[in-house]
Each structure stands twice: as structure tokens, then as C-alpha cells.
């Protein structure tokens, strides 16, 4: 094979990467590469090599890489780019060092002609609605099944108290109850104060400030104390339960428990549900007292003495009103702990899975708390409580 002419030569001045172009007698065009092909040395050579390919698109091209002394990722990218050029005649790389050839073999130049990460085709609206509805009912079924497992585990704990890890219950109760006192106190006090102030301002026009005590007493004891406490615990405790159990799921600790013959529901969920059942009603009582105290302090600025406020609350609020709000706290406790543990057990693999489980626990918990609170309101109305 004799050399006919040398059409072009390009050299990058940085570190001696060179390109020589020659046409052979058999009609092939040869691109002779030599030197160190790294990111700093190949810009000029890259441009000239592409120009040589485009100058004669119907002419077969052989890239002679026998003179390449070193080639990093940038050099491999140059070779891949030459191989992927869409032209009638083929391009091939010859005489490349075996070590560099192994790097080049990892890439399929023709695969780069297509989008390797195409945007997913969006399904029709009807299909999306169907998938969403199916996911909702599937999740609802899982919640009902998990509720049954939790009730069964709690019943087993009542029949066999010695099987319960009471030390874990005490530790979790401290986190659920004692550690939550400051935020519950703050929110309850502000709720009572704001409710008193916003009610007293318009009622002052009619000289009816004293009836603000009735409003605060009924609102806090029947509704707001239990509801706000539950929402706070859903964001604080429910997310914590989901994150703890979700991390155990990601680290395969749940699988280890199952392998050892331990039921994750009885081993992990029961202690958390018991702690929530013990602490949520107590936090609700605390919220009742602090909320009424906040309203009483605010009413002092409207010339309503503390004793008068207390007497008015005692006169209007009955024990049934207190029970109507306090009973809700037990149902809210089951929802908070159950949903948090369920989302933790449903945690998938991945870096963001634990965060997703905690988010789902908070959202699901708050939504179910509001729904159950509405059901209680309807039941109380029908029972005239």
C-alpha cells in the first residue's frame, strides 16, 4: 500500500498530539494519530480529524493509532466521536494499544446516535386516573391489614405482658411525651391566647367579653387541644417512627429480624403504639390546661379576672365535653403510631426512600386525623353529645 499524498497535518502545541492525513492507493483515507491524547492536547487534532472525515464522506477511513503513547478519557471520547460519525463509508480504528482498546471497547458508538434516556411517554389521562385510584385503594387495603396486625399484636401484649419490651416502651414514651411538652405547651398557649383575643375584640362591642371564656373552654376541651396535639405528634412522632423503621428496612435489619423468627410488628410496632397510647392522652390533658391558661391570661387585658374566667368555664363545660375531646386522643394515638410504623415498613431502597417514608407518614397521618375528627363530630351530633 503506497502513500499518494499528504493532504493535511495538525499538531496541538500543548504536548505533541499530532494528526497526519494521507490517502492510500486503494482509496482509503488514513488518519495517523501520535503523541499523548489527553484533554489538554487534543482540541486542535479533534477539529482537524472531523474536518478530514467530512471532506471525503464517501471515502473509507482508517484511524491509525499506533503512535498514540497515552490516552485518557478525552482521547477515548475523540475516537468514539470519529466512529459515531454518520457517513456513507465506514470508519475503523487500527493498531491501538490493547490497554486503550479495552477502554474503547466499553462504548458502543452507534448507541450514542439515539437518546439513551428518553422522556417517558405520558399515558392517557384516563389511565393515570385509573392508576391513581388503584394505588389509593391498594394503600387503603394495606392500612386496614396493618391495623388488624397491630390490634392482634396489642391483644397479644395484653394477654402476655411479659413479652413486651417495657424498657423500649419507656424510652419511646419519653421521646413521644416528655420531649414534646415544650412544643405542645407553646402551641396550646398561643392557640388559647389568639382564640381569646380574636373573640373578645368583636364581642367587646356588645359587652359580652365574659362569654369568651365559654367559647375557649368548649373549643379547647372538645376540639382544639386533642386536634392540635395530634397534628403536632403526626409531624414529630409519626415522622420519627417512619424514619427509624425505614432506616432499619434500608439497612436490612427488618429482614434480619424475620430471619431470626421475630415478627417485626410485635417487635417494633407494639412498643411504639403502646407509647403513643400512653402519652397522647396525657399530652392532650396538658394541652387543655395550657390552652385555658393562655385564654385566661389574654382575658386579663379585657378586665376579666382569672377567678371569673375559671368560674365561667366550670359553669359551661361539663364532664361530657371533656370526655368528648379526650376520647379522640386515643384514636389519634393509634393513627399516628400506626401510620408512622406502616410507612416505615413500606420503605423502598434508595437514598431518598427514608425521607419519602417520613413525608408520607406526616401527610397520611394529618389527613386521617382530620377525617377521623370529622367522623367524631358527626357521631357526637347524632348521639347529641
Amino acid at each position: 500500500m503506497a502513500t499518494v499524498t499528504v493532504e493535511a497535518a495538525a499538531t496541538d502545541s500543548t504536548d505533541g498530539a499530532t494528526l497526519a492525513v494521507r490517502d492510500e492507493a486503494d482509496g482509503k483515507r488514513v488518519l495517523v494519530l501520535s503523541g499523548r491524547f489527553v484533554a489538554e492536547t487534543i482540541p486542535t487534532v479533534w477539529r482537524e480529524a472531523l474536518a478530514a472525515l467530512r471532506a471525503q464522506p464517501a471515502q473509507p477511513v482508517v484511524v491509525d493509532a499506533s503512535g498514540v503513547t497515552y490516552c485518557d478519557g478525552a482521547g477515548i471520547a475523540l475516537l468514539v466521536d470519529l466512529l459515531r460519525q454518520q457517513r456513507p463509508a465506514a470508519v475503523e480504528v487500527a493498531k491501538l494499544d490493547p490497554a486503550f482498546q479495552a477502554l474503547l471497547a466499553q462504548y458502543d458508538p452507534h448507541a450514542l446516535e439515539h437518546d439513551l434516556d428518553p422522556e417517558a411517554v405520558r399515558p392517557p389521562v384516563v389511565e393515570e386516573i385509573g392508576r391513581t385510584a388503584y394505588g389509593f385503594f391498594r394503600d387503603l387495603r394495606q392500612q386496614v391489614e396493618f391495623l388488624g396486625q397491630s390490634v392482634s399484636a396489642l391483644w397479644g401484649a395484653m394477654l402476655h405482658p411479659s413479652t413486651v419490651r417495657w424498657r423500649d416502651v419507656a424510652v419511646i414514651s419519653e421521646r413521644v411525651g416528655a420531649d414534646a411538652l415544650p412544643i405542645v405547651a407553646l402551641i396550646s398557649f398561643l392557640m388559647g391566647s389568639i382564640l381569646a383575643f380574636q373573640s373578645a375584640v368583636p364581642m367587646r362591642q356588645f359587652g359580652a367579653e365574659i362569654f369568651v371564656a365559654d367559647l375557649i373552654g368548649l373549643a379547647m376541651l372538645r376540639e382544639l387541644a386533642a386536634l392540635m396535639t395530634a397534628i403536632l405528634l403526626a409531624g414529630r412522632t409519626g415522622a420519627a417512627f417512619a424514619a427509624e423503621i425505614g432506616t432499619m428496612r434500608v439497612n436490612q435489619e427488618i429482614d434480619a429480624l424475620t430471619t431470626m423468627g421475630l415478627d417485626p410488628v410485635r417487635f417494633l410496632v407494639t412498643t411504639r403504639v403502646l407509647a403513643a397510647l400512653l402519652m397522647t392522652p396525657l399530652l392532650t390533658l396538658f394541652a387543655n390546661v395550657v390552652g385555658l391558661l393562655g385564654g385566661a391570661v389574654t382575658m386579663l387585658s379585657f378586665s376579666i379576672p382569672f377567678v371569673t374566667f375559671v368560674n365561667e368555664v366550670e359553669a359551661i363545660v361539663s364532664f361530657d365535653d371533656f370526655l368528648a375531646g379526650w376520647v379522640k386522643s386515643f384514636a389519634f394515638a393509634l393513627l399516628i403510631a400506626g401510620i408512622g410504623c406502616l410507612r416505615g415498613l413500606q420503605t423502598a431502597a434508595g437514598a431518598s426512600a427514608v425521607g419519602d417514608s417520613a413525608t408520607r407518614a406526616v401527610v397520611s397521618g394529618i389527613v386521617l386525623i382530620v377525617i377521623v375528627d370529622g367522623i367524631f363530630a358527626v357521631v357526637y351530633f347524632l348521639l347529641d353529645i
Side-chain angles (χ1 to χ4, degrees), residues 253-272:
E253 297 177 40
I254 304 294
D255 298 333
L257 289 175
T258 305
T259 302
M260 291 186 294
L262 298 174
D263 184 5
V265 175
R266 294 183 181 273
F267 192 79
L268 298 174
V269 177
T270 303
T271 54
R272 287 166 171 79

Side-chain angles (χ1 to χ4, degrees), residues 56-79:
Q56 298 293 337
Q59 190 175 13
V61 173
V62 176
V63 179
D64 184 356
S66 58
V68 176
T69 59
Y70 182 78
C71 186
D72 66 357
I76 296 299
L78 166 61
L79 298 177

Side-chain angles (χ1 to χ4, degrees), residues 41-277:
T41 64
I42 63 173
T44 303
V45 173
W46 198 324
R47 289 192 297 269
E48 293 295 336
L50 291 177
L53 262 64
R54 294 165 184 163
Q56 298 293 337
Q59 190 175 13
V61 173
V62 176
V63 179
D64 184 356
S66 58
V68 176
T69 59
Y70 182 78
C71 186
D72 66 357
I76 296 299
L78 166 61
L79 298 177
V80 172
D81 192 29
L82 295 178
L83 292 173
R84 67 184 288 266
Q85 295 300 312
Q86 297 181 358
R87 55 198 309 274
V91 178
E92 60 177 318
V93 177
K95 302 178 182 179
L96 183 63
D97 186 274
F100 306 143
Q101 182 65 41
L103 294 176
L104 180 62
Q106 298 179 13
Y107 302 93
D108 182 6
H110 301 291
L112 300 177
E113 299 174 2
H114 310 285
D115 188 0
L116 300 181
D117 187 19
E119 184 177 354
V121 179
R122 187 169 183 177
V125 176
V126 176
E127 183 177 347
E128 288 189 354
I129 295 175
R131 288 181 177 179
T132 302
Y134 173 75
F136 172 78
F137 286 108
R138 182 182 59 184
D139 186 65
L140 183 61
R141 185 194 65 185
Q142 291 175 349
Q143 293 182 31
V144 173
E145 292 176 351
F146 185 77
L147 177 61
Q149 294 177 357
S150 301
V151 171
S152 175
L154 287 175
W155 181 253
M158 293 174 60
L159 295 179
H160 306 284
S162 60
T163 62
V164 179
R165 297 164 58 91
W166 293 107
R167 181 177 298 179
D168 290 349
V169 173
V171 173
I172 298 172
S173 297
E174 181 181 356
R175 297 206 308 263
V176 174
D179 294 348
L181 285 176
I183 185 64
V184 172
L186 176 63
I187 297 300
S188 301
F189 186 85
L190 291 177
M191 184 64 63
S193 300
I194 294 171
L195 185 62
F197 183 79
Q198 294 294 337
S199 304
V201 170
M203 296 181 72
R204 190 176 190 179
Q205 303 175 10
F206 308 97
E209 301 98 317
I210 188 62
F211 295 110
V212 174
D214 302 353
L215 178 97
I216 296 174
L218 291 173
M220 291 300 300
L221 269 66
R222 289 184 63 95
E223 188 69 31
L224 292 180
L227 183 62
M228 295 306 301
T229 301
I231 291 175
L232 287 174
L233 292 182
R236 185 181 181 278
T237 304
F241 288 173
E244 291 172 1
I245 299 179
T247 302
M248 297 177 69
R249 170 67 74 182
V250 172
N251 293 337
Q252 298 183 344
E253 297 177 40
I254 304 294
D255 298 333
L257 289 175
T258 305
T259 302
M260 291 186 294
L262 298 174
D263 184 5
V265 175
R266 294 183 181 273
F267 192 79
L268 298 174
V269 177
T270 303
T271 54
R272 287 166 171 79
V273 173
L274 285 174
L277 283 173

